[in-house]
Amino acid sequence: MRSAWPRLLALLATRSHDIAAAEDALSDAFASALINWEKSGVPDRPEAWLLTAARNKLTDGYRSAAWKTGAPLDQEVINTVPTSLFDLANFSGLESDEIPDERLKLLFVCAHPAVDRTIHTPLMLQTVLGLDADRVAALFLLPASAMAQRLVRAKRKIRDARISFDLPTQTDMPERLHGVLEAIYGAYANSHGNTARTQSNEALEAVYLADLLVELMGEEPEVLGLAALINFSVARQPSTGASVGRFVPLSKQDTNLWSAERLNRAEDLLLRASRLNKLGRFQVEAAIQSVHCDRRKTGTTDWQAVTQLYEGLLQLAPTIGAAVAQAAAVGEAHGPQAGLRALDRINPDDVAQHQAYWATRAHLLAKSDPIAAKHAYERAVELTESGLVRGFLDTKLKALQ
């Protein structure tokens, strides 16, 4: 379900123009599969089976009196949906990897200007990349019920406004690109802290979508920058977190485990972006990762370069996370006290609930002020959701004590 749901939902929604109805139909199809497959076995082409079942459910919904009473549709839609919902002739002989992938279309639908901008990324994360509403709500620090209501309203807006599910024109596409890039990167960032298998699946989904954007918009530097950034990160995945059963900070990772193929791909993408002479946030973030990954060749990290790149990032996209990361880099380049001074320049109210701030502060205080470091580590542990990271910080805290 984790693998198939986003691709099948996108295909259903782009044909029906109704995301909520497509979700209901696909849910019914999976429920039917639980019953039927237990009796008859998993079919040779499970995704085609699910898509056929969902299409039938969706068609029945459009035809039913209850549907037409609850949400009137014009006769043209009622007449055409059953025959044109799919042009795949019952999927006869269809292999699962031949089912068209429509997720990119749905990404741009979710970023349509008619939809509230604040819901663009949550909507994409749920409908296109398969994250459930509770996880999306947690990412945006909202109650699950509030996020669910906002998602429902957004899907209703897409249906009622009859928003086109075709890819936007080259004129319209740049306007909606930022939200799409944010959603793809958000999906990758969300994979951290999950199990190794789940983390790998979600990360590779983000890579796939980023590469798809490169194919579509290979002359857009931020598309190339995002693809480079994600490839740099995925290249290091075998040496991090769930992959090795414990959290390993970047500076301690075994560079022999990093994927040379992905690193080369990332460097090529970043070089292509730089030649377009239009700097953006994702390119700078990718450049920061490039400096870190150079340790594979040189054995050391150029912290001065990292510090300067974070200064540039803060000018392009000032965020609390970037400010904390820059302070950490300053601490490595110029010593813990310089790093602490950089942290102290951040508004305390902005970092009271920021886990990375407290972990960074604890690290910088460890040698000079163990008592203050202990309190900072304890606060970082309280704010940590990942069990692997919590275990790493607990070890640091015990060592300090």
Side-chain angles (χ1 to χ4, degrees), residues 164-386:
S164 171
F165 276 66
D166 294 327
L167 285 173
T169 65
Q170 290 297 320
T171 301
D172 296 334
M173 194 173 283
E175 179 184 358
R176 288 153 64 181
L177 179 61
H178 177 74
V180 173
L181 296 177
E182 289 287 352
I184 295 174
Y185 183 65
Y188 174 75
N190 186 68
S191 70
H192 295 295
N194 295 328
T195 64
R197 183 174 181 178
T198 299
Q199 184 182 87
S200 177
N201 287 343
E202 291 185 352
L204 291 177
E205 285 292 294
V207 170
Y208 174 80
L209 289 170
D211 285 346
L212 208 57
L213 271 184
V214 169
E215 291 180 21
L216 181 68
M217 304 180 69
E219 296 303 311
E220 173 55 54
E222 279 294 81
V223 167
L224 298 168
L226 174 68
L229 173 61
I230 294 178
N231 272 278
F232 276 125
S233 299
V234 173
R236 300 196 313 268
Q237 200 170 65
S239 66
T240 64
S243 301
V244 294
R246 57 189 175 86
F247 175 75
V248 183
L250 176 56
S251 61
K252 302 296 184 183
Q253 291 172 16
D254 183 354
T255 61
N256 292 318
L257 298 177
W258 293 354
S259 168
E261 181 180 358
R262 287 212 177 274
L263 290 177
N264 290 336
R265 162 83 170 152
E267 292 290 358
D268 287 344
L269 288 164
L270 188 56
L271 180 60
R272 284 174 58 186
S274 70
R275 288 172 174 164
L276 296 172
N277 295 317
K278 185 180 176 183
L279 193 61
R281 166 200 162 190
F282 287 114
Q283 295 168 73
V284 177
E285 291 199 36
I288 291 169
Q289 295 305 311
S290 177
V291 175
H292 282 298
C293 290
D294 274 346
R295 183 166 64 86
R296 184 172 179 269
K297 304 173 186 176
T298 65
T300 60
T301 300
D302 186 345
W303 286 108
Q304 185 61 43
V306 173
T307 299
Q308 292 174 343
L309 284 167
Y310 270 118
E311 289 176 1
L313 181 61
L314 285 168
Q315 293 180 29
L316 287 170
T319 65
I320 298 302
V324 171
Q326 188 211 23
V330 168
E332 296 291 342
H334 303 292
Q337 293 306 314
L340 288 168
R341 287 193 294 272
L343 283 180
D344 289 342
R345 288 194 288 269
I346 304 173
N347 186 340
D349 293 338
D350 293 336
V351 292
Q353 304 294 321
H354 198 282
Q355 187 271 351
Y357 168 85
W358 292 105
T360 301
R361 190 169 192 84
H363 172 71
L364 294 172
L365 285 167
K367 292 184 179 180
S368 62
D369 192 342
I371 295 177
K374 172 179 177 293
H375 292 311
Y377 271 127
E378 289 172 343
R379 183 61 178 146
V381 169
E382 289 175 3
L383 295 171
T384 300
E385 295 183 0
S386 167

Side-chain angles (χ1 to χ4, degrees), residues 6-48:
R7 295 197 300 116
L8 297 184
L9 176 63
L11 188 57
L12 284 160
T14 53
R15 298 306 193 277
S16 68
H17 291 203
D18 190 332
I19 296 173
E23 287 176 328
D24 291 342
L26 192 54
S27 294
D28 286 345
F30 273 99
S32 297
L34 286 173
I35 298 171
N36 286 281
W37 294 1
E38 186 176 24
K39 298 175 183 177
S40 58
V42 178
D44 292 337
R45 297 180 294 276
E47 290 192 6

Side-chain angles (χ1 to χ4, degrees), residues 115 119 146-158:
V115 179
I119 200 66
M147 178 59 75
Q149 290 175 357
R150 294 180 64 189
L151 290 167
V152 167
R153 286 196 297 268
K155 294 168 192 174
R156 187 180 297 127
K157 175 69 174 181
I158 290 170

